[in-house]
Amino acid sequence: MYTTVFCRVTTEEGGGGGPGSGGPISMDKDEKRMRREIANSNERRRMQSINAGFQSLRQMLPHHEGEKLSKADFWFKILEPSGFITVANL
């Protein structure tokens, strides 16, 4: 489970955002950067979780020593014996 926390920072002047106010305009760039960093971190964690799942499944398949399967090869190897993938489907 992922938890994301956002907070809004304002200046003591009340932060109207107008020229010279020193308000949220400068903080918006920082806030956007922080949100992007959080989103990137969440995406990295999501992809690591997916890749770990694929790795666990790959270890359950019979394979030759040193053979590395791509995700596409993995799915072909899983689905081909079931008849789900045939030459006509490709």
Side-chain angles (χ1 to χ4, degrees):
M1 171 174 273
Y2 305 118
T3 304
T4 305
V5 177
F6 294 103
C7 62
R8 185 163 202 76
V9 179
T10 59
T11 62
E12 291 179 17
E13 291 97 17
S21 71
I25 299 250
S26 62
M27 295 310 293
D28 283 342
K29 290 179 185 177
D30 290 339
E31 186 177 357
K32 284 181 183 179
R33 183 185 50 77
M34 183 183 300
R35 285 182 183 218
R36 177 59 21 220
E37 287 177 7
I38 291 169
N40 289 346
S41 176
N42 288 342
E43 180 63 10
R44 265 191 306 279
R45 244 190 324 260
R46 186 185 74 82
M47 287 306 302
Q48 288 169 350
S49 174
I50 290 170
N51 288 335
F54 267 106
Q55 189 58 34
S56 295
L57 291 171
R58 278 187 193 110
Q59 291 173 353
M60 294 179 190
L61 288 176
H63 61 282
H64 300 289
E65 188 66 33
E67 179 185 22
K68 293 185 177 182
L69 294 175
S70 68
K71 289 177 185 172
D73 290 337
F74 168 81
W75 285 115
F76 277 114
K77 200 165 191 171
I78 293 291
L79 297 173
E80 190 176 35
S82 68
F84 188 77
I85 293 180
T86 63
V87 175
N89 291 343
L90 299 177

